Every structure is written in C-alpha cells, then in structure tokens.
Amino acid sequence: EPSFFVESIQSFISVLREATGCSWIAAAVVCAWIARLLASPLAVKATKDMRRSLLLTPIEISQRQEIEEAKKGGREEEAKRLEEKLAEWQKLTNFSPFPISQLLNVAVQSSIFLGFYRATSSFAERPDIFKSHALEKPLWLDSVALPDPYGLLSLMAVGALIFNVEVARGNELAMRRQAELNSGVPDKMLEEDRLLFYKWALRSTI
C-alpha cells in the first residue's frame, strides 16, 4: 500500500486533472513543477550557503595553517591566541563547511523525486482503479501504463540529468571565479559576479 505522502501526491494529481480536464501526464508534470517551486526557497538558501562556505573556507584553512605553524615553531602562546581568534571568527561568521540547509535540500528534493516516482508507478500498477490512466495514449505511447516502446523517455531523462550536472558545474565555476576575484572576502563581492551567481542559482532550482 502506498504511504500517506504518495497518496497525497496521487490525490493532488487526480484533483488537478479533474479540475482542468488535462491529461494524466500534463497533470503529473504540473504538480511536479509546483512541488519544485514550493521547495525552491530552500534550494536557493542551500545554494547561497554553499557559496558562502566556499568563500569562507580559504580563510578558515589559512588560519588553521597559521596555528599549525605556530605549534611547530614552539610558539604555544601565539598558537593559543590564534585558536581563540579562529573560534571568535567562526562564531561571528557562523561558518560551517557543511551547511544544514544543503542536507535539508537534498532530503527534500529526494523525497519529491521518490514520491512522484512512486505515485506515478502506483497509477500504472493499478489499472483496475485508474482506468482512464491506463487507457490514455499520449504522443507515441501505446498507454501511459506501458513502457516506452522506443525508449525516448529514457533518453530525455538522461539529457535532463546531463543538463543538471552542467548547470551545477557552471554554478560551481561561477562561485570559484568569484572567490578568486574577491580573495575569499564576501564583502568585496563584485556586482557582476553577484548577478552571475544568482543566474546559475535560479537555473539550478528549475
């Protein structure tokens, strides 16, 4: 039996289809887009936190290297002072190499993907209940409940995956370029790089 979360997604798709009179595929796609849009604030925050972590990490590494050099040189007092300075800096900047927003974003996005996958699979597995779903024949498909005879949907899925990887890579390169230009100091961020960052951030949420 499907879980409450999966049943909620199925109800959402069914209600949208009945209210608009669209096809099952269109209803599922629109519902998925709505779910992604609702989760986009968290995705944007996770991207911002990742960028902030990338900008602050070089500073944190540099300070730790100074502490190690002081300890190796036998300068215990200086090493202690640098450790206190590092602790104050971490508290002031709220620095974390692994922001919790990133973990939450992965959990939410994974739940959305798995939930919609299970919901649409359940439609196909129960043609006795969702008869209109099984009888629907969109585009080149013999039935929504049957596998794609030409494998075009699989190719489209692979293409979407490659596109997302390229977008994520572009986002990472934009942030690294910004970090290099600004020497890892967020306050000196250039307007051009800020716009570039948000462009890739918004693309990655789509």
Side-chain angles (χ1 to χ4, degrees), residues 47 51 106 118 143 146 177 179:
T47 307
R51 165 183 165 271
V106 171
R118 186 60 190 140
S143 171
L146 296 176
R177 175 170 173 252

mmCIF file of all heavy atoms in Angstrom, residues 47 51 106 118 143 146 177 179:
data_model
loop_
_atom_site.group_PDB
_atom_site.id
_atom_site.type_symbol
_atom_site.label_atom_id
_atom_site.label_comp_id
_atom_site.label_asym_id
_atom_site.label_seq_id
_atom_site.Cartn_x
_atom_site.Cartn_y
_atom_site.Cartn_z
ATOM 1 N N THR A 47 21.990 26.945 -1.906
ATOM 2 C CA THR A 47 22.992 27.421 -2.859
ATOM 3 C C THR A 47 23.761 28.611 -2.293
ATOM 4 O O THR A 47 24.981 28.711 -2.447
ATOM 5 C CB THR A 47 22.326 27.811 -4.189
ATOM 6 O OG1 THR A 47 21.537 26.726 -4.664
ATOM 7 C CG2 THR A 47 23.367 28.150 -5.240
ATOM 8 N N ARG A 51 27.741 28.737 -1.402
ATOM 9 C CA ARG A 51 28.611 29.804 -1.893
ATOM 10 C C ARG A 51 29.354 30.468 -0.744
ATOM 11 O O ARG A 51 30.555 30.737 -0.831
ATOM 12 C CB ARG A 51 27.773 30.826 -2.661
ATOM 13 C CG ARG A 51 28.460 32.150 -2.909
ATOM 14 C CD ARG A 51 27.492 33.091 -3.602
ATOM 15 N NE ARG A 51 27.977 34.445 -3.537
ATOM 16 C CZ ARG A 51 27.711 35.294 -2.565
ATOM 17 N NH1 ARG A 51 26.967 34.906 -1.549
ATOM 18 N NH2 ARG A 51 28.179 36.515 -2.583
ATOM 19 N N VAL A 106 18.832 18.350 -0.010
ATOM 20 C CA VAL A 106 18.977 17.014 -0.604
ATOM 21 C C VAL A 106 17.837 16.101 -0.148
ATOM 22 O O VAL A 106 17.258 15.356 -0.956
ATOM 23 C CB VAL A 106 20.341 16.403 -0.224
ATOM 24 C CG1 VAL A 106 20.412 14.945 -0.650
ATOM 25 C CG2 VAL A 106 21.469 17.189 -0.873
ATOM 26 N N ARG A 118 7.024 7.077 -7.150
ATOM 27 C CA ARG A 118 6.169 6.033 -6.593
ATOM 28 C C ARG A 118 4.702 6.300 -6.905
ATOM 29 O O ARG A 118 3.932 5.362 -7.166
ATOM 30 C CB ARG A 118 6.390 5.963 -5.073
ATOM 31 C CG ARG A 118 5.655 4.817 -4.410
ATOM 32 C CD ARG A 118 6.099 3.482 -4.959
ATOM 33 N NE ARG A 118 5.239 2.399 -4.501
ATOM 34 C CZ ARG A 118 4.839 1.400 -5.251
ATOM 35 N NH1 ARG A 118 5.206 1.351 -6.530
ATOM 36 N NH2 ARG A 118 4.079 0.460 -4.772
ATOM 37 N N SER A 143 0.209 3.353 -24.188
ATOM 38 C CA SER A 143 -0.528 3.578 -22.954
ATOM 39 C C SER A 143 0.427 4.204 -21.943
ATOM 40 O O SER A 143 1.626 3.904 -21.940
ATOM 41 C CB SER A 143 -1.100 2.277 -22.396
ATOM 42 O OG SER A 143 -1.624 2.472 -21.096
ATOM 43 N N LEU A 146 2.149 1.551 -19.871
ATOM 44 C CA LEU A 146 3.091 0.625 -20.501
ATOM 45 C C LEU A 146 4.436 1.300 -20.737
ATOM 46 O O LEU A 146 4.521 2.524 -20.843
ATOM 47 C CB LEU A 146 2.522 0.126 -21.833
ATOM 48 C CG LEU A 146 1.247 -0.709 -21.755
ATOM 49 C CD1 LEU A 146 0.750 -1.050 -23.153
ATOM 50 C CD2 LEU A 146 1.472 -1.975 -20.930
ATOM 51 N N ARG A 177 35.182 31.443 -9.397
ATOM 52 C CA ARG A 177 35.685 32.666 -10.034
ATOM 53 C C ARG A 177 35.482 33.863 -9.117
ATOM 54 O O ARG A 177 36.356 34.713 -8.973
ATOM 55 C CB ARG A 177 34.950 32.889 -11.349
ATOM 56 C CG ARG A 177 35.313 34.207 -12.035
ATOM 57 C CD ARG A 177 34.735 34.249 -13.439
ATOM 58 N NE ARG A 177 34.938 35.557 -14.030
ATOM 59 C CZ ARG A 177 33.981 36.453 -14.231
ATOM 60 N NH1 ARG A 177 32.744 36.159 -13.871
ATOM 61 N NH2 ARG A 177 34.234 37.621 -14.770
ATOM 62 N N ALA A 179 35.269 33.763 -5.850
ATOM 63 C CA ALA A 179 36.176 33.640 -4.708
ATOM 64 C C ALA A 179 37.583 34.089 -5.071
ATOM 65 O O ALA A 179 38.269 34.729 -4.276
ATOM 66 C CB ALA A 179 36.189 32.196 -4.215
#
